[in-house]
Amino acid sequence: MSPENQKEKLKRHFAKRVTTQARIVLDTWQRLEEHGWLNTEWILELQGAVQKLHKLAERFEQKNYIATSKAIHTALCNAKFKNGQMRPKDKALVDEATELLRRIVQRKSDTNDRTDSRVYIRTPIYFASNDTKAAERIINQMEFFGFRAEFYGNAEELIHASKLCKPEAIVMDVHFGGQTLSGIKAAQDVQALHDTPIPIIYLSEDGDIATRLAAVRSGGEEFFHQTVDPGQLIEKIEQYTTASPQEPYRVLVLDDSKAQSKFIENALVRSGMITHVINDPMEILIALDDFLPEIIILDMYMPGCTGMELAKVIRQQDRLHSVPIIYLSAEDDVNKQLHAMSLGGDDFLTKPIDPKHLSATIHNRGRRARSLLALMIRDSLTGLYNHTHSLYLLETEISKAKQKQTSLCFVMLDIDYFKRINDTYGHPIGDRVLKSLAMFLKQRLRKTDHIGRYGGEEFAIVLPSTQGEDARNLLNEIRDHFSNLKQPAGDIEFQVTFSCGIAIYSGESAQELSEKADKALYNSKHSGRNQVTIYRQS
Ligand code: GH3
Ligand code: MG
């Protein structure tokens, strides 16, 4: 490559880093928008992200980004708050500057790579290690899976960064900083900055009980002893990051008192949940369908009907069987409470309620409900939706597409020569490949797309609001990236490809659509594998 080309390539590479940071700013802003700008920690996080964007933009001489990040920074610094809310005129300035940033990012992704804008940006993972080279190798691998990892070489910088932007997880050398167990001390300092703990994954050359105990005591969730297999490490990170508050609980609140429901809503929103409030019990069915709550809070006594009657109505619908119902009432007669619980409720909170208690109860119920639901609808190896649930989601999306007149694609994907992988490297390595593809898909698709494991080494993807050509480009990009991924098997590495079939929805049933995708997949296999085919009527 000529020096000129080399320079061009480097420039493009760096431009991408600035754009990625700009997306992080937009994500953080969006999260605040959704929660009403009440969380000061997130506002600090936004400020940190904007400062970082400014620094990167200056370093890589991206004039548009320099000016815009400065505008957002100034607007944020000058903003004044009244009763916990940003003054409307200050908020308007922040929004205006952010909108400008969105337009720049949009323009860049239009000119670079359309599919790039679909990559789901997550909060960062911090990598604190004494071994820069090994860390970089793993960070590179993590980027393949859509994780944004940042390297830190000393405790001071790590703590400073954690203050500005709380990471989703930290991978930490037990002896980070060079002293015996100094990583554990750094982890404790970071944890002290935040109310909720950050999952820590320790790496250590020593596996003795004293080190392991010290790690567990400081909130260490995982412990990697000696050599670190990047695949295993990424799998663990994935586990901790999907269970994080990244996905806020969706809580439906029904209380006929506007003041009471507002109070509950504020308490829940402040602890990072998404709420939908109704004051009229007769609206419950519509709210259940539209909002799809994970938890329901019901007032016990309302005009027209009681919470217990409503709980029975809710429980009569199969799909709502496992959604926790929590009653809220001034009733402190334990017998009456028990009777209410026997009619389909899961918990009872007595008014006046302490916001902390409310939030803790909802968090506990939500976590448990999610893990129970996961057992029912997810495949245990990959964590993707199982066959039955994938078909259910396809049906749901078909009816939405029909109703809203939007486009929809259904994708079937099958690993090439998978039997050979099992035969050559063994079944456990085959399983690891399945998991890595599952993670890869999860990271690269939008949150609104549905990914399922259809059977052995076959996957299904539902892409709502997506045109055929866009689906093809997207899957081709994923196919290309995945085929370059190095799959470790002991001391050697190998590469894996997959074939894909896409069916574009045109009014048929879920069954017919999946048959079409299957035919297209068959064509891909027969035309030499490692390719994507769109179904066409022959
Ligand atoms: P093609 O390119 O035509 O798709 O060939 P293939 O070898 O991928 O397809 P084939 O249907 O011949 O073999 C699929 C293999 O996948 C056979 C089965 O043992 C293996 N398999 C199915 N489920 C699992 C699993 O959960 N784990 C592992 N390791 N292997 C599995
Ligand atoms: Mg196969």
Side-chain angles (χ1 to χ4, degrees), residues 314-386:
I314 294 170
R315 291 289 186 238
Q316 278 167 358
Q317 303 176 57
D318 279 350
R319 69 185 173 90
L320 297 170
H321 247 289
S322 53
V323 178
I325 296 177
I326 294 160
Y327 294 116
L328 201 61
S329 153
E331 183 66 74
D332 54 6
D333 179 336
V334 176
N335 282 328
K336 282 194 181 155
Q337 288 192 1
L338 282 176
H339 176 63
M341 305 260 277
S342 72
L343 293 175
D346 295 276
D347 220 329
F348 209 103
L349 293 173
T350 315
K351 296 180 199 173
I353 180 154
D354 167 33
K356 273 211 174 107
H357 184 186
L358 172 70
S359 147
T361 306
I362 304 296
H363 264 291
N364 290 338
R365 284 286 161 193
R367 192 172 336 117
R368 188 145 171 73
R370 272 192 192 170
S371 62
L372 281 177
L373 193 66
L375 283 180
M376 285 183 340
I377 64 171
R378 290 192 187 271
D379 159 56
S380 59
L381 179 76
T382 59
L384 299 180
Y385 294 123
N386 57 25

Side-chain angles (χ1 to χ4, degrees), residues 381 414-420 422 426-431 434 453 455-457 525 529:
L381 179 76
D414 185 288
I415 299 180
D416 298 327
Y417 304 117
F418 191 58
K419 193 168 174 314
R420 219 189 273 168
N422 274 334
H427 216 266
I429 297 286
D431 281 358
L434 292 174
R453 184 174 175 207
E457 20 85 74
K525 289 276 182 193
R529 296 178 170 79

Side-chain angles (χ1 to χ4, degrees), residues 373-493:
L373 193 66
L375 283 180
M376 285 183 340
I377 64 171
R378 290 192 187 271
D379 159 56
S380 59
L381 179 76
T382 59
L384 299 180
Y385 294 123
N386 57 25
H387 184 97
T388 318
H389 196 70
S390 304
L391 269 182
Y392 163 76
L393 289 169
L394 176 61
E395 276 161 12
T396 319
E397 291 299 342
I398 283 183
S399 62
K400 275 195 216 158
K402 206 183 275 176
Q403 201 180 12
K404 295 186 185 156
Q405 298 277 306
T406 49
S407 50
L408 170 72
C409 285
F410 183 64
V411 182
M412 300 265 270
L413 185 160
D414 185 288
I415 299 180
D416 298 327
Y417 304 117
F418 191 58
K419 193 168 174 314
R420 219 189 273 168
I421 297 170
N422 274 334
D423 293 347
T424 316
Y425 306 105
H427 216 266
I429 297 286
D431 281 358
R432 170 65 46 76
V433 171
L434 292 174
K435 284 196 223 176
S436 81
L437 177 56
M439 271 201 287
F440 205 76
L441 294 172
K442 271 194 259 180
Q443 300 292 337
R444 298 208 162 233
L445 293 164
R446 298 171 304 186
K447 270 167 104 182
T448 44
D449 301 330
H450 309 295
I451 320 163
R453 184 174 175 207
Y454 225 48
E457 20 85 74
E458 197 172 34
F459 297 77
I461 307 167
V462 186
L463 300 171
S465 308
T466 307
Q467 306 280 347
E469 273 312 307
D470 290 339
R472 193 220 299 265
N473 292 340
L474 172 70
L475 265 306
N476 257 328
E477 191 241 7
I478 295 178
R479 185 188 54 71
D480 189 38
H481 274 85
F482 185 73
S483 67
N484 283 315
L485 193 65
K486 304 268 191 298
Q487 304 279 351
D491 293 339
I492 52 164
E493 286 175 332

Side-chain angles (χ1 to χ4, degrees), residues 62-118:
Q62 303 261 315
K63 284 198 191 114
N64 281 348
Y65 282 131
I66 297 175
T68 321
S69 55
K70 190 151 183 238
I72 305 179
H73 177 70
T74 314
L76 280 171
C77 287
N78 293 340
K80 298 231 161 32
F81 286 78
K82 213 174 159 191
N83 302 329
Q85 292 280 356
M86 195 185 283
R87 282 189 315 193
K89 64 174 183 183
D90 295 339
K91 174 76 179 23
L93 285 176
V94 174
D95 289 353
E96 196 182 315
T98 312
E99 181 52 34
L100 213 60
L101 182 66
R102 184 186 312 285
R103 272 190 243 141
I104 300 172
V105 172
Q106 195 65 44
R107 230 177 297 142
K108 295 252 183 227
S109 53
D110 284 347
T111 48
N112 290 342
D113 182 359
R114 204 208 71 81
T115 53
D116 199 31
S117 59
R118 300 171 64 112

